[in-house]
Amino acid sequence: MATAQLNDSLVVITGASSGIGRCAAHEFARHGARLVLAARDAQALAAVVRECEQLGAQALAVPTDVTRNQAMEHLAKQAADFGAGRIDVWVNNAGVGAVGRFEDTPLAAHEQVVQTDLLGYLRGAYVVLPYFKAQKSGVLINTVSLGSWVAQPYAAAYSAAKYGLRGLTEALRGELTPWPNIHVCDLYPAVMDTPGFRDGGNFTGRALTPPPPRYDPRLVAEAMIEVVLKPRASKTVGSTATLLRLAHFLVPGFTQLSGLIVGRALKRGQRARPSIGNLFHPPSGERRIDGGWREPAGDSQMPRLMTATAVVLLLGWGLLHLRNESR
């Protein structure tokens, strides 16, 4: 049953075939939006359209590769036609990842991550902002991730893209000052239980498992609705994101500690063949919202997380002390 809070607003979502994008489509459908859904997988998009229609929404699938300029221009035009000339909300959400030592990951894989996770978002902003300015209103949502504050060792291109997104969105906000009803809203999720770790490029030689705690991606979809109804510049999703962001600022040598921890964790994983995953084409596995990693009580892991954070803080201060002593 739709709540009609969005009053038939036209919403575009990239990366809508699985994970956060798919559940965001469901959530916007429940709130009475009309949807234009984009991803590379046409078959999966058709399934999401049917799911949204069952929730009472009008939805259109536009197969789109966000690394292609013409594809993004076509997406914006199709969306405006479907919305009778308007685009009210644009959600930049499509993303890929590649995990592995920097020099072991093919250069083409690094480039594709930046093309998708940074330039794909830039293209989305580029094609939608003229519509927002013409109608003097609109909400641009960027699913930026915790990775834009805390560097991810063994995922250098991903970190570069996410750090770059912070600069992109802050620059856009500065330019959009004369348009007070155009909002750029960044979401910073913690680790979400999506198929991303299964589908991404893996050049580690080991099977990948997302670190706990793993949150329900529906929390991100709910946050999207919140920032559309009450726009704000940024919002974190999942208490881990706040804790790790704090630790990143407070702990000297946090990146070095993170690199040691991640490196050791990767060595413990089961051996696996290198894979390009979904970097250059849609994955072959089932397209769905959940990755199947989550424990039944997601945030019940918080006591352990807070203990781990305290340990990291102590280790960081210890590392700083040892460095000072060596000097």
Side-chain angles (χ1 to χ4, degrees):
M1 179 72 70
T3 62
Q5 287 175 276
L6 297 180
N7 300 318
D8 289 326
S9 296
L10 194 285
V11 178
V12 179
I13 303 172
T14 68
S17 61
S18 68
I20 291 171
R22 192 167 190 150
C23 63
H26 295 171
E27 194 68 20
F28 277 104
R30 292 188 187 97
H31 283 77
R34 284 176 295 163
L35 296 163
V36 176
L37 306 177
R40 294 173 297 178
D41 191 332
Q43 183 176 355
L45 278 182
V48 184
V49 165
R50 291 192 296 270
E51 292 164 2
C52 292
E53 290 174 342
Q54 289 171 1
L55 293 168
Q58 293 180 319
L60 173 70
V62 182
T64 305
D65 184 342
V66 301
T67 69
R68 307 293 181 185
N69 294 348
Q70 290 183 339
M72 293 294 276
E73 291 166 356
H74 175 71
L75 172 62
K77 185 179 184 304
Q78 290 288 100
D81 290 345
F82 193 62
R86 287 187 64 88
I87 301 174
D88 298 292
V89 179
W90 185 287
V91 180
N92 277 326
N93 174 75
V96 297
V99 181
R101 288 199 310 175
F102 181 69
E103 67 275 19
D104 291 342
T105 302
L107 186 56
H110 287 306
E111 292 173 339
Q112 186 71 356
V113 171
V114 174
Q115 275 286 350
T116 304
D117 295 3
L118 175 56
L119 297 181
Y121 282 52
L122 185 148
R123 292 182 183 96
Y126 189 86
V127 299
V128 77
L129 282 180
Y131 292 96
F132 285 179
K133 289 182 177 180
Q135 65 203 28
K136 296 183 172 59
S137 66
V139 178
L140 173 64
I141 298 175
N142 294 312
T143 309
V144 184
S145 105
L146 172 64
S148 64
W149 291 102
V150 181
Q152 308 294 302
Y154 300 93
Y158 179 85
S159 294
K162 296 302 184 178
Y163 269 66
L165 279 178
R166 278 176 48 213
L168 171 66
T169 58
E170 290 184 16
L172 288 178
R173 287 191 197 103
E175 287 192 31
L176 291 169
T177 302
W179 287 272
N181 294 318
I182 298 177
H183 305 279
V184 180
C185 306
D186 293 344
L187 297 182
Y188 297 96
V191 177
M192 294 291 147
D193 179 20
T194 70
F197 273 81
R198 179 199 71 187
D199 295 339
N202 181 2
F203 305 96
T204 66
R206 303 283 181 172
L208 297 178
T209 302
R214 303 131 188 164
Y215 293 88
D216 188 335
R218 293 160 188 82
L219 295 174
V220 185
E222 293 168 3
M224 290 179 184
I225 300 296
E226 289 179 24
V227 298
V228 169
L229 297 177
K230 293 184 179 180
R232 54 191 293 185
S234 66
K235 181 177 177 61
T236 57
V237 183
S239 45
T240 312
T242 302
L243 287 171
L244 289 179
R245 183 172 168 183
L246 178 64
H248 177 262
F249 283 110
L250 293 180
V251 177
F254 182 89
T255 302
Q256 289 80 0
L257 286 169
S258 178
L260 289 172
I261 293 168
V262 174
R264 290 174 181 173
L266 289 175
K267 290 178 181 178
R268 291 195 298 267
Q270 294 182 350
R271 293 193 178 275
R273 292 183 178 180
S275 169
I276 61 170
N278 66 346
L279 289 174
F280 301 99
H281 52 74
S284 57
E286 179 189 358
R287 315 304 290 133
R288 59 190 185 191
I289 292 174
D290 300 288
W293 312 100
R294 194 164 71 254
E295 293 184 6
D299 239 4
S300 66
Q301 302 174 82
M302 284 309 299
R304 280 181 287 165
L305 174 65
M306 295 181 71
T307 300
T309 302
V311 170
V312 169
L313 286 167
L314 289 172
L315 286 172
W317 287 116
L319 180 62
L320 178 64
H321 178 71
L322 289 173
R323 284 182 174 176
N324 289 337
E325 287 291 320
S326 66
R327 289 174 184 170

